Amino acid sequence: MSERFDKKPDELVQIDHKPPRKSWMDPKVEFRRGFFNYSANPKSVEYLGLPYARKWQPTDADWKLPPNWKEIILDGLRERIHRFRSLQLFMDICVRCGACADKCHYFIGSGDPKNMPVMRAELLRSVYRKEYTAAGKIMGEMAGARELTVDVLKEWFYYFFQCTECRRCSVFCPYGIDTAEITMVGRELLNLVGCDIDWITTPAANCFRTGNHLGIQPHGFKDSVEFAIDDLESIIGIKTAPSINRKGAEILFVVPSADYFGDPHYFGFLGYMALFHEIGLDYTFSSFASEGGNFGLFHSHEMMKRLNSKIYMEAKRLKVKWIIGAECGHMWRVLHQYMDTMNGPADFLEEPVSPITGTKFENAKTTKMVHIAEFTADLIKNGKLKFDPTRNDAYKVTFHDSCNPARAMGLLEEPRYVLKNVCNYFYEMPENTIKEQTFCCGSGSGLGTDENLEMRLRGGFPRGNAVKFVKDKYGVNMLCCVCAIDKATLPAVVDYWAGDVGVCALHELVGNALIMKGEKERDTDLRGEPLIGKEGGK
Amino acid sequence: MNIFLSLIAVLVLILIAWVGAGAANLQFIFGMIMPIIGLMLFLGGIVYRVIKWARAPVPFHIPTSCGQQKSLTWMQSSKLDNPSSSLGVIGRMLLEVLFFRSLFRNTKMELKNGPKLVYGSAKYLWLGALAFHWSFLIIVIRHFRFFTEPIPFFVNFMSSLDGFFQIGVPVLYLTDALIVGGLTYLFFRRVVIPQLRYISLFSDYFILFNILAIVITGILMRYFTKVDLILVKQLTLGFFSFNPVIPEGIGSIFYIHLFLVSALLTYFPASKLVHMAGVFLSPTRNLANNSRMKRHINPWNYPVKVHTYEEYEDEFRDLMKGAGLPLEKE
């Protein structure tokens, strides 16, 4: 962490959810340290060919906007109103019933009234009313209309980068108004005048060039995989042999880059390799499609498409039959809801059939990409895997549904089915905090960095608090999840709000429990922690 | 402030009709012209809105999934909260439109000492909304007995059902009581709950007051001033047969009622009330979660600048070669 964060949870939790008496129409925001993200590095903006690359910071009085910034934004908004029915409809039909208000983790954790989803949308809606509706033009503020000013733009920047596009509000909205749609458009508009944040733009630029957000070059990717092969061998006593950029493999396996570079993701990566070795899967990695995650989603629809394109391109080039995607939240939002539309049709691939069980994945018949939890659940159901769940007995596990797999897909029972097979102690968090009502980690949609740490911890409060509940009640000490951003950011959040609870990948627990042909007697789990009963070592 | 302004605005509307149709004797304007304008703007406006929405494409397949997806055959999927078929979508939409499914999920967050967050059940908004909307619909249907001759059976049936308990003379309609209760609740929550007061606009209060005033004038006519229904029906039948008649002696309160309805119809398409039509078009609800089974087409899917594998290999060829990775071009 770049700066020390010394506020205690007791202090942070002094939250007043009562809004001020002052009208929300006043757009002035104070850019307080810990609550906002830094501007994009101009080099990354330029690399991606995006407009108005420049040095500026949100705390500057002058954002060095282009002279015709207002025209650019309003033209951009008009264009998007005609392109997205969702946007137009969501601008028109909100009745301000307030059902969404206390559903947002950022509102719960901060009490800032403009973090109520309805208000976040009103920030844009007020300008929409002023420009495009008769009532707004005639009645002005009385009809909830506001002029677009520099202060309004700054307010947009502040609040559209305080939304993680988690879609929890859209579950509760009687019209299904999805704030993610509004935030996505709001960010696109900001990007038109070069108001990008670095934590999104630089990973996107890396990804465009090297295929992954971290900017790992092909030889570096190969090193990572070889490192993992050695690590895994030292634990299970088997040398696995995954391939990279191999033509003619049956399956292309796409992971988020954090899986081979981040902790605790990495232990899940070892788990995948162990699993695929055990079933003898004919698969290859691609050093170019070395990222399933897509920070383009957090930037603009266009950037999402640009970054996603490599997956089908690589599948085609490597002549695989179909694709498996690893554990990652927003990656699956893109794969499930956007990829086929944007970069399909994938008519050069075959309908996915598990080579081990013969199961046809009918649910993925046009996109041709299967979630690894679906794949593994099918293997288990068909009795293809043998487990020793006692190897996970050190862990009392709870499962965090990641926003996108839960609310943009419905991947709820597959990971639970797998979990129940690989560990003996599994406990659910309270029902209003899981499945479609799950709470965001507070760091999604490109906001998982250091400079906005206080906001992230506040946003992570509902999740952290639910973890604390099961920790106190059942002694839970491990939070399992299927999202790379969760794995990167929840350790800090959970440590802050619950303490002494680890975070792990689903396939780390699979890899721990998996009994493999020819494996040595395991003394440790994939983390290198001694198994229960083996604490003394040899 | 918005509350008072909107209350005043509705009172002004009442005053206009009272003075206009009463003192100034402009019954023709308030009994014929205004309702015609209102009705035309309402119908035209709604059609315009719906066409405008419908013309905007749905580029991406973005349903909000609120239950288990359909994936493996042996795994029970949630057919209504996460439908994968058209039939499921119809079911989901019916639940949403008729029974406010999403609102039924509503919870209320409370931060307790500990700290401990709890999410209590909060069904009052759902209940209040159901009471209001259903009563409104039934009242509108009941009103068809003023517009039609002979009166269709379902209108009479609805009326007798509504007056099932046979309380008082004329019989008390349950919906009259429910709609007053519903509106009062919807108003008070806007005033009492601080977050709601913060987000509420002038128009939010205005609409509530307007509808409440319509309801109250209606109740006054039915139960208290006992408006002459024969005369009213002469007027309405004349209206709908394009043969305008303004009978003498209906009374100002009727014209106030009618003017408030005309006002509601007039601004309806320009207000948030279009949620009535819009809810059917919401892409997070009316699409099946089948985007991996069936390709969704985006009509404006324009080509974008991508980075190709060839460019990638060109940049990193030496490094790839050094690492022993396969190459397209040596």
Side-chain angles (χ1 to χ4, degrees):
Chain A
M1 244 164 266
S2 54
E3 289 157 45
R4 232 167 66 84
F5 185 74
D6 48 17
K7 286 189 192 166
K8 295 272 178 293
D10 288 345
E11 189 184 338
L12 220 60
V13 87
Q14 302 304 318
I15 306 161
D16 185 6
H17 290 101
K18 215 172 133 190
R21 296 207 59 96
K22 195 176 80 165
S23 160
W24 61 265
M25 295 254 172
D26 178 5
K28 273 262 185 284
V29 282
E30 187 195 342
F31 283 86
R32 276 184 298 160
R33 192 181 286 275
F35 286 82
F36 68 93
N37 293 84
Y38 296 147
S39 68
N41 184 336
K43 279 187 198 149
S44 303
V45 180
E46 265 162 15
Y47 183 78
L48 290 166
L50 301 170
Y52 305 110
R54 64 188 184 276
K55 274 202 156 65
W56 68 286
Q57 281 303 341
T59 43
D60 297 345
D62 179 8
W63 282 18
K64 299 179 195 156
L65 296 167
N68 58 337
W69 68 270
K70 194 170 162 179
E71 194 187 325
I72 297 172
I73 298 256
L74 292 178
D75 286 349
L77 181 56
R78 185 174 303 110
E79 187 185 19
R80 281 159 184 78
I81 285 167
H82 294 300
R83 274 195 185 157
F84 295 92
R85 184 183 298 168
S86 56
L87 176 66
Q88 200 182 115
L89 201 70
F90 296 165
M91 288 291 108
D92 287 334
I93 65 174
C94 174
V95 298
R96 288 169 297 284
C97 72
C100 58
D102 59 356
K103 308 304 180 287
C104 173
H105 51 283
Y106 278 140
F107 176 66
I108 294 173
S110 73
D112 182 339
K114 291 187 183 176
N115 269 317
M116 293 190 276
V118 51
M119 274 319 305
R120 203 183 309 280
E122 288 285 298
L123 302 181
L124 184 62
R125 203 176 275 130
S126 53
V127 171
Y128 168 82
R129 288 193 191 106
K130 180 82 191 165
E131 298 297 328
Y132 309 107
T133 70
K137 277 179 192 159
I138 300 164
M139 292 176 45
E141 286 207 0
M142 261 219 314
R146 286 192 309 180
E147 188 82 38
L148 177 60
T149 62
V150 172
D151 280 337
V152 169
L153 190 82
K154 289 182 175 182
E155 184 191 37
W156 284 5
F157 181 88
Y158 190 75
Y159 289 105
F160 291 140
F161 290 104
Q162 274 188 9
C163 166
T164 50
E165 303 177 355
C166 81
R167 310 177 94 213
R168 190 169 191 264
C169 47
S170 85
V171 168
F172 294 90
C173 175
Y175 317 117
I177 295 176
D178 180 4
T179 308
E181 288 293 296
I182 290 159
T183 295
M184 284 161 83
V185 166
R187 290 182 180 186
E188 283 195 16
L189 296 176
L190 288 163
N191 288 332
L192 292 178
V193 292
C195 293
D196 315 15
I197 70 168
D198 197 50
W199 197 250
I200 292 172
T201 312
T202 294
N206 285 338
C207 199
F208 197 63
R209 175 168 174 247
T210 64
N212 59 74
H213 294 144
L214 301 167
I216 297 163
Q217 300 182 2
H219 58 299
F221 178 72
K222 191 178 179 222
D223 283 349
S224 298
V225 174
E226 281 176 353
F227 204 80
I229 294 171
D230 292 344
D231 269 356
L232 190 60
E233 188 184 4
S234 71
I235 296 163
I236 64 173
I238 299 171
K239 194 168 181 69
T240 55
S243 56
I244 301 172
N245 296 353
R246 175 168 61 91
K247 285 190 180 175
E250 182 171 3
I251 286 160
L252 170 65
F253 182 44
V254 178
V255 300
S257 56
D259 275 2
Y260 51 86
F261 228 78
D263 179 343
H265 315 61
Y266 179 68
F267 309 114
F269 189 72
L270 299 182
Y272 309 141
M273 288 182 11
L275 173 71
F276 291 168
H277 177 86
E278 176 60 19
I279 59 175
L281 193 71
D282 177 18
Y283 76 105
T284 184
F285 290 109
S286 156
S287 67
F288 185 39
S290 50
E291 178 71 76
N294 191 327
F295 271 43
L297 169 68
F298 312 143
H299 184 279
S300 58
H301 288 89
E302 184 169 316
M303 192 59 67
M304 178 186 351
K305 182 175 172 181
R306 288 172 70 182
L307 299 188
N308 172 260
S309 62
K310 65 178 179 282
I311 294 179
Y312 277 154
M313 289 196 300
E314 280 296 83
K316 192 170 188 177
R317 186 180 72 83
L318 296 172
K319 298 187 174 67
V320 299
K321 288 185 181 162
W322 55 282
I323 315 169
I324 296 180
E327 300 175 14
C328 183
H330 76 277
M331 156 176 159
W332 270 98
R333 164 101 144 123
V334 177
L335 301 176
H336 185 71
Q337 297 198 322
Y338 294 98
M339 177 164 76
D340 204 349
T341 299
M342 287 181 159
N343 291 311
D347 45 14
F348 47 88
L349 296 175
E350 292 177 15
E351 287 184 25
V353 178
S354 170
I356 317 302
T357 65
T359 298
K360 266 192 182 171
F361 292 97
E362 298 269 358
N363 63 323
K365 68 180 173 206
T366 66
T367 301
K368 280 111 172 173
M369 187 146 182
V370 174
H371 193 290
I372 187 152
E374 296 165 350
F375 182 74
T376 305
D378 172 66
L379 290 171
I380 296 173
K381 182 72 177 178
N382 285 286
K384 301 293 179 188
L385 304 175
K386 270 190 261 167
F387 292 115
D388 175 4
T390 64
R391 291 181 191 165
N392 282 317
D393 275 358
Y395 302 132
K396 296 202 164 42
V397 183
T398 191
F399 184 69
H400 162 69
D401 289 277
S402 308
C403 311
N404 286 297
R407 285 185 283 262
M409 198 173 169
L411 185 97
L412 307 177
E413 295 303 331
E414 294 88 345
R416 285 177 170 77
Y417 178 78
V418 173
L419 261 183
K420 285 171 190 164
N421 276 280
V422 301
C423 62
N424 288 322
Y425 303 104
F426 169 59
Y427 307 92
E428 291 277 17
M429 286 181 277
E431 61 168 345
N432 292 118
T433 71
I434 55 167
K435 301 190 176 174
E436 73 276 7
Q437 300 195 24
T438 188
F439 274 107
C440 182
C441 59
S443 309
S445 81
L447 308 182
T449 179
D450 286 347
E451 65 251 22
N452 61 335
L453 183 65
E454 176 161 350
M455 201 59 200
R456 282 173 48 202
L457 289 175
R458 287 179 177 278
F461 175 44
R463 172 45 73 227
N465 199 248
V467 172
K468 184 168 184 299
F469 178 83
V470 284
K471 181 194 166 199
D472 293 346
K473 191 165 177 185
Y474 307 110
V476 161
N477 60 5
M478 187 55 83
L479 178 67
C480 176
C481 54
V482 287
C483 167
I485 293 178
D486 282 337
K487 290 167 202 164
T489 65
L490 276 174
V493 167
V494 168
D495 185 54
Y496 188 80
W497 292 112
D500 292 329
V501 177
V503 175
C504 75
L506 178 65
H507 280 78
E508 175 182 343
L509 300 179
V510 171
N512 281 342
L514 186 67
I515 298 172
M516 298 176 68
K517 292 178 281 286
E519 71 180 1
K520 69 172 189 182
E521 193 184 340
R522 293 204 206 174
D523 303 315
T524 69
D525 60 18
L526 296 179
R527 295 188 175 205
E529 299 288 332
L531 295 174
I532 285 189
K534 303 274 176 72
E535 288 92 342
K538 283 198 175 172
Chain B
M1 194 60 188
N2 280 335
I3 306 173
F4 292 109
L5 283 177
S6 53
L7 185 60
I8 289 168
V10 172
L11 291 175
V12 167
L13 288 182
I14 293 174
L15 202 67
I16 291 173
W18 191 37
V19 173
N25 238 350
L26 299 169
Q27 287 97 337
F28 190 75
I29 292 185
F30 288 92
M32 288 290 154
I33 308 288
M34 291 297 174
I36 287 179
I37 294 176
L39 205 58
M40 276 169 36
L41 285 176
F42 174 75
L43 293 174
I46 292 283
V47 169
Y48 170 77
R49 278 281 169 163
V50 171
I51 289 176
K52 201 159 166 250
W53 288 329
R55 282 176 59 168
V58 179
F60 303 111
H61 203 87
I62 54 163
T64 307
S65 54
C66 299
Q68 171 60 33
Q69 66 171 348
K70 182 172 157 48
S71 60
L72 301 160
T73 48
W74 47 272
M75 202 165 266
Q76 183 72 36
S77 72
S78 175
K79 292 185 177 57
L80 289 169
D81 285 329
N82 191 357
S84 59
S85 66
S86 308
L87 204 65
V89 170
I90 291 170
R92 186 182 201 186
M93 290 308 294
L94 285 176
L95 277 183
E96 201 64 87
V97 173
L98 299 179
F99 303 111
F100 306 169
R101 168 72 182 100
S102 295
L103 217 47
F104 186 71
R105 290 193 188 94
N106 195 27
T107 55
K108 188 177 183 314
M109 174 272 304
E110 265 182 279
L111 176 55
K112 299 195 166 168
N113 280 339
K116 194 175 172 190
L117 283 168
V118 288
Y119 311 94
S121 163
K123 302 270 186 268
Y124 286 111
L125 175 58
W126 173 76
L127 215 60
L130 268 189
F132 166 70
H133 284 87
W134 273 102
S135 300
F136 199 114
L137 177 68
I138 292 170
I139 290 171
V140 168
I141 293 173
R142 274 209 274 102
H143 273 67
F144 276 86
R145 74 192 171 108
F146 301 127
F147 313 144
T148 49
E149 191 58 54
I151 300 167
F153 76 94
F154 66 89
V155 175
N156 282 326
F157 174 71
M158 198 66 89
S159 303
S160 58
L161 204 67
D162 201 355
F164 183 74
F165 289 105
Q166 303 273 339
I167 304 165
V169 181
V171 167
L172 174 76
Y173 285 136
L174 278 181
T175 50
D176 286 351
L178 283 173
I179 200 168
V180 172
L183 282 165
T184 311
Y185 168 74
L186 292 176
F187 170 71
F188 274 109
R189 69 185 287 276
R190 274 201 192 278
V191 180
V192 173
I193 303 172
Q195 289 93 348
L196 261 290
R197 199 167 56 228
Y198 185 77
I199 63 175
S200 293
L201 298 171
F202 168 84
S203 60
D204 297 325
Y205 297 111
F206 177 75
I207 290 166
L208 286 173
F209 284 138
N210 189 355
I211 298 175
L212 194 61
I214 292 170
V215 170
I216 290 171
T217 48
I219 288 175
L220 282 177
M221 280 190 286
R222 177 174 167 80
Y223 301 100
F224 300 97
T225 67
K226 315 242 161 100
V227 71
D228 189 337
L229 292 178
I230 312 270
L231 297 181
V232 170
K233 198 150 178 178
Q234 270 180 8
L235 184 141
T236 52
L237 287 178
F239 180 87
F240 283 107
S241 59
F242 302 104
N243 187 15
V245 196
I246 298 289
E248 286 292 320
I250 298 187
S252 301
I253 202 160
F254 170 76
Y255 290 103
I256 296 173
H257 184 72
L258 198 56
F259 185 58
L260 290 168
V261 172
S262 308
L264 179 70
L265 290 172
T266 303
Y267 68 72
F268 195 109
S271 72
K272 67 173 186 177
L273 297 175
V274 289
H275 67 268
M276 179 185 86
V279 61
F280 292 95
L281 278 84
S282 182
T284 61
R285 292 289 185 273
N286 72 5
L287 293 169
N289 179 23
N290 61 357
S291 40
R292 272 190 293 156
M293 297 174 215
K294 200 163 169 268
R295 184 165 183 247
H296 180 90
I297 305 290
N298 172 5
W300 51 260
N301 188 20
Y302 58 86
V304 297
K305 187 180 182 308
V306 298
H307 197 62
T308 63
Y309 174 80
E310 288 67 33
E311 291 168 294
Y312 169 85
E313 192 181 295
D314 283 348
E315 182 175 355
F316 296 114
R317 184 166 294 113
D318 292 343
L319 292 166
M320 290 175 81
K321 198 170 179 181
L325 287 169
L327 292 169
E328 292 287 328
K329 278 191 254 169
E330 288 296 327

